[in-house]
Amino acid sequence: GAVVSQHPSWVICKSGTSVKIECRSLDFQATTMFWYRQFPKQSLMLMATSNEGSKATYEQGVEKDKFLINHASLTLSTLTVTSAHPEDSSFYICSAMGPNTGELFFGEGSRLTVL
Amino acid sequence: GENVEQHPSTLSVQEGDSAVIKCTYSDSASNYFPWYKQELGKRPQLIIDIRSNVGEKKDQRIAVTLNKTAKHFSLHITETQPEDSAVYFCAAASNAGNMLTFGGGTRLMVKP
């Protein structure tokens, strides 16, 4: 099946620094990828829809200047958490729609801890 | 927009028993309903999905039923095993894979 790879899986950073998370579709092209945030014991909350070659669409309440999304190619979307603060600590997961059935494939997730 | 409610939030069953998780949705335009299993710290994995032109779908010990009129769908797991223990999420979308709205999740614990 289609594979979505996310990197890094773990990142610890100091408050005020920026962190970039990559999401790659390894064996298919993904014109649209999705970014989610998941707090402990909670559901996945859609942050934004990443469209190749155009600006991302952000969900209400998500700061676009805080969470920069770039989808420069059909296989790569990046999420940059700018000037990270402890409250940004969370599990971030990306997903992409598979090539055939429309099934959504998820990346492994990236656990961000901001000290 | 779509709103998906999921119940119960936690479910504990004895090994071999059945487990049922229910979800309701608000948008009548939704026509794709996947279920995901997520183990601790790992990515959600699709376990079964159903589209609105079907009322029921089964895959071995897992089945999903859909009632479009009432706008609810349910996951049924029979002969539960300890490895079924995980968090299960339902979701709804107006097109497959597009803008999924997730339920709050159900933590299933299967006691050996």
Side-chain angles (χ1 to χ4, degrees):
Chain A
V3 178
V4 175
S5 178
Q6 197 171 330
H7 177 81
S9 53
W10 293 86
V11 57
I12 301 173
C13 68
K14 292 182 179 180
S15 184
T17 59
S18 294
V19 175
K20 180 185 284 188
I21 301 169
E22 295 185 346
C23 180
R24 294 181 184 273
S25 56
L26 296 186
D27 51 0
F28 67 101
Q29 294 181 333
T31 55
T32 303
M33 291 184 175
F34 304 94
W35 287 96
Y36 305 83
R37 185 173 181 175
Q38 186 177 32
F39 290 107
K41 298 184 179 181
Q42 293 189 24
S43 188
L44 291 87
M45 299 300 297
L46 181 65
M47 298 175 65
T49 302
S50 171
N51 302 296
E52 187 269 335
S54 64
K55 292 182 179 180
T57 304
Y58 289 82
E59 294 300 299
Q60 191 173 8
V62 178
E63 301 175 57
K64 60 181 181 181
D65 296 329
K66 173 76 172 177
F67 299 99
L68 299 179
I69 291 173
N70 185 286
H71 196 153
S73 78
L74 287 170
T75 59
L76 174 64
S77 175
T78 60
L79 168 69
T80 301
V81 183
T82 61
S83 187
H85 291 285
E87 57 265 30
D88 297 324
S89 299
S90 187
F91 194 52
Y92 293 87
I93 309 178
C94 68
S95 70
M97 193 160 64
N100 299 316
T101 65
E103 178 183 345
L104 206 61
F105 293 89
F106 286 85
E108 302 97 322
S110 299
R111 184 164 301 284
L112 170 63
T113 301
V114 184
L115 303 176
Chain B
E2 176 66 276
N3 182 47
V4 179
E5 301 276 346
Q6 184 171 345
H7 298 281
S9 56
T10 59
L11 178 59
S12 182
V13 300
Q14 207 65 38
E15 182 178 1
D17 288 349
S18 295
V20 180
I21 303 170
K22 299 180 180 180
C23 287
T24 60
Y25 61 99
S26 61
D27 189 351
S28 57
S30 291
N31 56 12
Y32 177 63
F33 308 93
W35 285 88
Y36 294 89
K37 176 183 180 181
Q38 186 181 27
E39 296 178 1
L40 187 63
K42 296 188 177 180
R43 75 182 92 192
Q45 298 274 9
L46 179 71
I47 55 172
I48 196 167
D49 58 9
I50 191 168
R51 299 174 194 272
S52 59
N53 59 346
V54 176
E56 183 175 357
K57 185 176 178 181
K58 189 174 182 180
D59 182 5
Q60 299 182 333
R61 295 188 296 110
I62 296 172
V64 57
T65 58
L66 171 66
N67 184 325
K68 288 188 295 181
T69 303
K71 287 192 265 186
H72 67 70
F73 55 111
S74 299
L75 177 71
H76 304 253
I77 306 174
T78 59
E79 300 172 31
T80 54
Q81 301 167 4
E83 49 265 38
D84 293 330
S85 297
V87 178
Y88 291 81
F89 292 99
C90 65
S94 58
N95 288 295
N98 184 35
M99 296 282 292
L100 282 178
T101 300
F102 286 87
T106 297
R107 184 171 300 277
L108 173 65
M109 293 168 284
V110 181
K111 298 178 182 178

